[in-house]
Amino acid sequence: MTRNPLVGELPFPEAARRELSREQLRRNLRSATHTIRDKRARMVAEVPDWEELRVAGSAIKADVLARLPELLTRFEAAATAAGARVHWARDAAEACAIVTRLVRETGTDEVVKVKSMATQEIGLNEALEAAGITALETDLAELIVQLADDTPSHILVPAIHYNRSEIRDIFRERMAGTDPDLTDDPRALAEAARRYLRERFLSAKVAVSGANFAVADTGTLVVLESEGNGRMCLTLPETLISVVGIEKLVPTFADLEVFLQLLPRSSTGERMNPYTSMWTGVTSGDGPQDVHIVLVDNGRTATLADEVGRQALHCIRCSACLNVCPVYERVGGHAYGSVYPGPIGAVLTPQLTGVAANRSLPFASTLCGACFDVCPVRIDIPQVLVHLRQQAVDERRGHPSAERTAMRAATWIMSAGRRYTRVLRIARRATRPLAALLRRRTVRRLPWPLSAWTAERDAPLPAGESFRDWWARSREGS
Amino acid sequence: MRIGLFITCVNDLLYPGTGRAVVRVLERLGHRVEFPVEQTCCGQMQANSGYRAEAVPLARRFAETFAGYDAVVAPSGSCVAMVRDGYPRLLPETAEVAARTYELSELLVDVLGVVDVGARFPHRVTYHPTCHGLRMLRLGDRPMRLLRAVRDLELVELPDAEECCGFGGTFAVKNSDVSGAMLADKCAAIRATDAEYVLAADNSCLTHIGGGLSRSGAPTRPLHYAEILAGGGR
Amino acid sequence: MDARTEILDRIRSALGNGAAPPPVPRDYLRTAECADPVELLTERLADYRATVRHCGPGELAATLAAVLADDPRLAVPYDLPGEWLTGYRGEVARDGDPAPLTVAELDDASAVLTGCAIAIATTGTIVLDAGPAQGRRALTLVPDHHVCVVRTDQIVAGVPDAVAALDPRRPLTWISGPSATSDIELNRVEGVHGPRRLDVVLVR
């Protein structure tokens, strides 16, 4: 069994430390996140009704969740009537088994894939490989990551941790038929990938995709992309299998008017992405004639049960929150250990897996709030982070914890004015000799656990007179 | 108008000068400030670290302590954000007093209608808009408007000002490496301004930033902007 | 219990006896304001590095001939108006007349010429819906050069106008410039798998 695509090998702080030491990675990340964030800001600024679109987008998604059984069955009926076959999967293993069976039924052992978070989440490529089926990623960045036997580090630009010469080396070593004199010019690299993939597109019998949206009323699926690899996969093969999370629904086709404005500008910072494909079941003489849709739960219903946390299911995978997050910017996607990194990953991943499997992720944020400001569907990520921190703490009640003891002591002290005043005095008196000795009000080293603070920062010592003592001295007598 | 001063625990113990500055500014403008001594801490650390049950008694205590005031003012963006955004979710009966709780610049500009508080501070300074002030309280340019009215003050823009300094309460300890990387960038931006002082509306962020500046031997000193409004000097 | 029943049960129990679905505020602009849609579409297409030409109805054949001058083999949908091609000197392959072109034949064509369903000025987008003069989806995908004729009365102002005008039962392809990737150090490279050149001819 390969590793769970939603659970990392190390807790976040340790994985983050490992990633922080990679200088090239940090430079790449900084430049990439700042470039996309600036583009996004420019594109959003030119939309006069952006805030109204965000409010509508959020409300449509809340409405979808509230009516999910009704909308799912409506979607199933509409898609089926249009010639698609709809399958349901409770978890990753069931979804992979369904896709594997469908591919086998076509008699082929090779599929082309459109970039899809859902198929990464369920570990589909690994499952297909175990069944003797080769899955070829066709998005340029996903292809790079797949050839390098690596995992994506960003939702939108998964190979952002590689620079051009590294990509050239990966192509030369691992992409069959690559010219040994290939340069690291991005144009030449893109051309090499085009040539490598083209014959495979033109001969592919089966494609696997995800979907950005699924329209309940009509049974329509929608995929947004840039390179045309999506169109190749969605149009040329005979069989198309789309793996879709149950939260991807929108009620009506008209609702796309909101999301097709929100998503491209938030995601790539474009007015519109180069290609958007919409298809409804089977169209005679145009595109795949054998069309399947696999609806996947895999932790979504558990997320839905949490009244605060369920807003994470509004996510449309734009990755705007990654690009503004100061934590993501410094550590990149691998530190999160999940296919969903960054702020949205820190709230979505622990809910999909259960908090016990990802206890450190809700703490991987300063709660600075930049993510909420850019979220096109107004997910209050800081609120959900705090909510999940509480679950992470509650889940460990009964285990001894220095932190809990300290928190409880602080509350006990601060629950009575006199007790608090007394403790302030003790703190000042106890540190006074130290301040006198150092002749300054800062210290350079504190004992554990505050030693983590003084590793890179000086710490302040209490003032000579607390505010309340000053107030009592200067006011009470008058 | 009865104005209650919520000094916050960090200021009480570590930065009493900030509290004294708030008193001086408001009294100079002709207002009476009261300091109810029963006050302690807002409970932000507990609530943000996942200890909701431990934060609730502190929210209740705050609401009881400040029930009789027309306005509550605190020189701390994050504590005001905790009270105003966090309390109503924690304990619905605190909603009323929470809505009357202001960060200093909100009280001065919005409630009292003052921009020029009559201060002078002949130094080069820069201003770091802390995350809670910027994105939860939406303080906007209120602190800057107050600072621009200070005589002889040279206010220089901080590059990437809206970036978090990396403090985040217990984040600085739990994820100290990432926090340190963020701090290093913030300190570099501050050094690039050649300012004598870096100002903010929150002494907890300034503790973090100041700790980084002092460790790296930078000459810039952290200072709460209230102390500039009071006339300057700690 | 089968997966479908179990998932629907899980959802119902997750929602509990939840309140009625919240209302959706739609205070955004349902119809975009746009003073000069033709000019805006031209500007937005140029932003994507698509080439735009303007002509009158009488100049269409000559304009297309100029745009396609370097293309020896042209694929077109079976119902492309014959008068569009009167100036073109190369070889024309009609898809579906008599039989659909094979993938190899499509790959062999250096260009494809179609009309469109609508175009969106605000976003610089052309939408194909397999309607008149557009053909099936593969047609505009495999050849490397796409020439698209847009009548000015097909231009709508914004995305909501476009969604309202389209029929979801038809296969829809929204095209905003030539195919592109920014996957290598975020350098934009036009032309990966879809057509690397997009030429739009706007007919008054």
Side-chain angles (χ1 to χ4, degrees):
Chain A
M1 181 67 199
T2 46
R3 77 172 190 87
N4 184 339
L6 293 172
V7 183
E9 286 158 10
L10 293 173
F12 181 83
E14 290 169 46
R17 188 177 310 134
R18 179 192 67 203
E19 300 300 310
L20 273 170
S21 65
R22 299 181 178 167
E23 289 295 324
Q24 177 73 41
L25 170 76
R26 281 178 67 184
R27 272 195 300 275
N28 290 1
L29 280 170
R30 183 177 164 82
S31 125
T33 53
H34 282 251
T35 303
I36 312 180
R37 128 176 19 164
D38 294 347
K39 273 177 78 182
R40 176 208 160 271
R42 282 197 301 277
M43 281 302 129
V44 164
E46 72 177 33
V47 181
D49 53 341
W50 185 255
E51 285 310 312
E52 289 79 7
L53 286 166
R54 286 179 80 209
V55 169
S58 173
I60 292 168
K61 282 295 189 177
D63 179 42
V64 165
L65 296 184
R67 295 194 288 142
L68 200 49
E70 167 203 337
L71 295 178
L72 278 170
T73 46
R74 188 183 303 172
F75 173 81
E76 180 187 38
T80 306
R85 277 191 285 162
V86 177
H87 313 261
W88 301 68
R90 281 164 279 219
D91 52 28
E94 191 168 19
C96 290
I98 292 168
V99 177
T100 306
R101 175 172 57 77
L102 293 172
V103 175
R104 281 204 175 125
E105 281 170 9
T106 66
T108 185
D109 59 1
E110 189 173 295
V111 304
V112 286
K113 277 192 71 203
V114 193
K115 174 173 162 45
S116 139
M117 295 309 299
T119 59
Q120 280 178 36
E121 174 195 321
I122 61 172
L124 181 63
N125 291 4
E126 294 76 8
L128 289 174
E129 194 186 325
I133 299 163
T134 307
L136 180 66
E137 292 289 353
T138 64
D139 170 78
L140 179 52
E142 294 286 359
L143 174 67
I144 295 165
V145 168
Q146 187 180 42
L147 288 169
D149 201 16
D150 194 359
T151 54
S153 62
H154 190 288
I155 291 176
L156 174 71
V157 276
I160 201 62
H161 53 297
Y162 289 115
N163 62 25
R164 60 182 74 189
S165 61
E166 291 168 324
I167 294 168
R168 188 229 6 232
D169 295 345
I170 292 166
F171 280 6
R172 283 205 294 214
E173 283 164 31
R174 307 199 173 190
M175 193 163 76
T178 301
D179 177 358
D181 296 326
L182 178 67
T183 70
D184 65 0
D185 172 27
R187 208 159 279 282
L189 294 171
E191 172 68 26
R194 175 187 166 99
R195 249 179 288 147
Y196 174 72
L197 287 174
R198 194 159 181 90
E199 57 186 284
R200 290 165 175 84
F201 281 135
L202 300 187
S203 62
K205 297 277 176 273
V206 180
V208 176
S209 83
N212 293 95
F213 304 102
V215 182
D217 266 4
T218 60
T220 307
L221 292 183
V222 183
V223 164
L224 281 71
E225 50 128 358
S226 296
E227 297 171 7
N229 65 310
R231 291 180 68 193
M232 291 279 179
C233 293
L234 302 171
T235 311
L236 296 182
E238 292 157 14
T239 298
L240 172 60
I241 305 165
S242 302
V243 180
V244 183
I246 53 173
E247 84 288 14
K248 290 281 142 202
L249 288 177
V250 296
T252 68
F253 186 69
D255 289 319
L256 292 175
E257 71 187 13
V258 174
F259 296 103
L260 291 179
Q261 294 189 75
L262 290 172
L263 182 50
R265 291 180 196 259
S266 298
S267 182
T268 50
E270 294 171 299
R271 294 189 181 99
M272 195 60 85
N273 48 294
Y275 298 131
T276 297
S277 296
M278 304 182 185
W279 72 100
T280 304
V282 174
T283 303
S284 177
D286 188 345
Q289 299 297 297
D290 181 26
V291 170
H292 299 268
I293 300 163
V294 184
L295 295 171
V296 180
D297 177 352
N298 203 35
R300 285 162 178 75
T301 50
T303 308
L304 185 65
D306 186 320
E307 286 183 31
V308 176
R310 66 170 60 138
Q311 57 184 306
L313 297 175
H314 295 186
C315 177
I316 55 175
R317 312 284 188 263
C318 73
S319 71
C321 62
L322 276 61
N323 299 324
V324 297
C325 178
V327 175
Y328 177 86
E329 176 191 330
R330 284 165 181 87
V331 302
H334 290 158
Y336 295 80
S338 160
V339 300
Y340 300 112
I344 187 61
V347 295
L348 190 57
T349 303
Q351 297 199 85
L352 293 177
T353 61
V355 168
N358 271 298
R359 288 175 42 78
S360 66
L361 286 183
F363 298 91
S365 165
T366 63
L367 306 179
C368 86
C371 47
F372 170 71
D373 277 11
V374 298
C375 178
V377 287
R378 294 178 58 88
I379 301 169
D380 191 342
I381 293 176
Q383 185 203 0
V384 182
L385 285 168
V386 168
H387 177 72
L388 295 176
R389 288 177 183 188
Q390 194 196 320
Q391 288 184 10
V393 167
D394 287 349
E395 190 242 349
R396 302 286 291 177
R397 287 208 189 254
H399 294 69
S401 150
E403 181 183 275
R404 186 173 322 110
T405 307
M407 292 289 176
R408 282 197 178 147
T411 297
W412 181 76
I413 291 163
M414 287 165 179
S415 296
R418 275 212 198 131
R419 202 181 287 150
Y420 174 65
T421 304
R422 219 160 36 234
V423 170
L424 288 193
R425 291 213 177 110
I426 292 167
R428 272 191 300 108
R429 286 201 192 119
T431 54
R432 199 174 291 158
L434 184 58
L437 184 73
L438 295 169
R439 295 215 199 134
R440 58 166 191 267
R441 291 251 322 277
T442 54
V443 287
R444 299 179 78 95
R445 193 169 296 166
L446 287 172
W448 187 89
L450 294 175
S451 50
W453 174 279
T454 48
E456 284 168 77
R457 316 150 187 84
D458 292 343
L461 287 171
E465 183 182 44
S466 71
F467 179 84
R468 63 183 56 227
D469 285 348
W470 170 78
W471 181 271
R473 185 167 60 77
S474 64
R475 302 290 155 132
E476 301 300 294
S478 60
Chain B
M1 184 160 79
R2 268 192 92 191
I3 301 175
L5 173 61
F6 176 49
I7 192 66
T8 81
C9 58
V10 165
N11 289 326
D12 199 351
L13 180 67
L14 300 173
Y15 305 103
T18 298
R20 294 199 298 269
V22 175
V23 174
R24 205 175 311 146
V25 171
L26 290 171
E27 288 184 346
R28 199 164 64 206
L29 293 169
H31 300 281
R32 217 171 85 89
V33 186
E34 295 175 45
F35 175 77
V37 295
E38 299 78 22
Q39 67 180 273
T40 57
C41 161
C42 68
Q44 182 187 184
M45 178 180 71
Q46 287 91 333
N48 283 351
S49 306
Y51 294 86
R52 181 193 168 96
E54 282 75 10
V56 168
L58 301 179
R60 187 174 294 117
R61 178 175 187 83
F62 179 95
E64 286 164 7
T65 305
F66 289 101
Y69 293 91
D70 301 311
V72 183
V73 63
S76 164
S78 61
C79 302
V80 173
M82 173 65 198
V83 171
R84 220 155 66 197
D85 282 14
Y87 278 12
R89 281 202 286 254
L90 218 52
L91 199 64
E93 63 258 38
T94 60
E96 215 179 307
V97 66
R100 282 182 276 121
T101 302
Y102 303 97
E103 193 279 327
L104 177 64
S105 69
E106 295 175 308
L107 182 80
L108 290 170
V109 175
D110 300 347
V111 182
L112 305 178
V114 185
V115 171
D116 185 348
V117 298
R120 176 175 176 272
F121 194 75
H123 297 281
R124 183 179 170 94
V125 305
T126 191
Y127 181 80
H128 167 63
T130 59
C131 300
H132 286 86
L134 190 69
R135 284 178 281 262
M136 286 184 86
L137 299 180
R138 309 277 171 196
L139 293 183
D141 66 348
R142 290 180 187 82
M144 302 290 259
R145 282 161 69 193
L146 292 162
L147 287 169
R148 279 192 213 109
V150 172
R151 258 37 105 225
D152 303 328
L153 184 85
E154 190 193 351
L155 183 60
V156 292
E157 201 182 318
L158 178 65
D160 294 324
E162 299 190 354
E163 286 250 334
C164 178
C165 72
F167 173 53
T170 50
F171 178 84
V173 174
K174 284 181 199 283
N175 282 286
S176 61
D177 300 281
V178 187
S179 170
M182 291 162 71
L183 177 62
D185 291 345
K186 182 57 75 181
C187 288
I190 292 166
R191 293 185 84 145
T193 65
D194 273 329
E196 294 164 74
Y197 295 93
V198 54
L199 313 178
D202 211 315
N203 274 327
S204 45
C205 306
L206 283 176
T207 301
H208 187 239
I209 293 170
L213 288 170
S214 136
R215 176 62 58 91
S216 67
T220 312
R221 288 175 48 201
L223 192 60
H224 195 287
Y225 79 102
E227 301 189 37
I228 309 265
L229 301 184
R234 190 168 266 195
Chain C
M1 197 189 293
D2 68 285
R4 181 182 188 277
T5 311
E6 188 169 339
I7 291 171
L8 290 172
D9 277 359
R10 286 179 186 173
I11 297 169
R12 289 193 189 96
S13 100
L15 292 171
N17 301 318
V24 176
R26 294 187 190 266
D27 301 327
Y28 56 89
L29 304 171
R30 303 300 286 272
T31 305
E33 301 274 330
C34 179
D36 187 344
V38 176
E39 192 193 317
L40 186 61
L41 177 65
T42 306
E43 179 196 315
R44 295 286 147 97
L45 279 166
D47 267 6
Y48 296 129
R49 298 184 208 169
T51 313
V52 186
R53 283 180 179 75
H54 297 253
C55 71
E59 305 155 326
L60 181 57
T63 307
L64 290 173
V67 172
L68 292 163
D70 297 332
D71 287 296
R73 273 181 64 83
L74 179 66
V76 300
Y78 70 93
D79 60 346
L80 192 91
E83 63 268 26
W84 290 13
L85 293 172
T86 49
Y88 178 65
R89 295 285 160 254
E91 191 185 331
V92 176
R94 280 194 182 258
D95 185 40
D97 181 13
L101 299 174
T102 63
V103 171
E105 285 167 329
L106 285 174
D107 196 28
D108 208 29
S110 59
V112 54
L113 171 64
T114 68
C116 72
I118 51 170
I120 309 168
T122 319
T123 58
T125 304
I126 287 157
V127 185
L128 307 184
D129 72 352
Q134 296 160 57
R136 63 191 167 115
R137 286 172 286 170
L139 185 63
T140 50
L141 174 62
V142 180
D144 206 19
H145 180 197
H146 182 192
V147 180
C148 186
V149 175
V150 179
R151 295 194 318 270
T152 50
D153 65 359
Q154 290 177 312
I155 302 173
V156 299
V159 172
D161 307 286
V163 171
L166 292 166
D167 179 353
R169 288 165 303 183
R170 311 182 71 92
L172 302 173
T173 305
W174 296 41
I175 298 170
S176 306
S179 80
T181 185
S182 299
D183 281 344
I184 301 163
E185 296 181 12
L186 293 179
N187 283 285
R188 187 178 165 93
V189 175
E190 266 97 28
V192 194
H193 307 297
R196 282 182 280 195
R197 281 172 62 205
L198 174 66
D199 285 318
V200 175
V201 178
L202 282 171
V203 190
R204 286 186 299 273

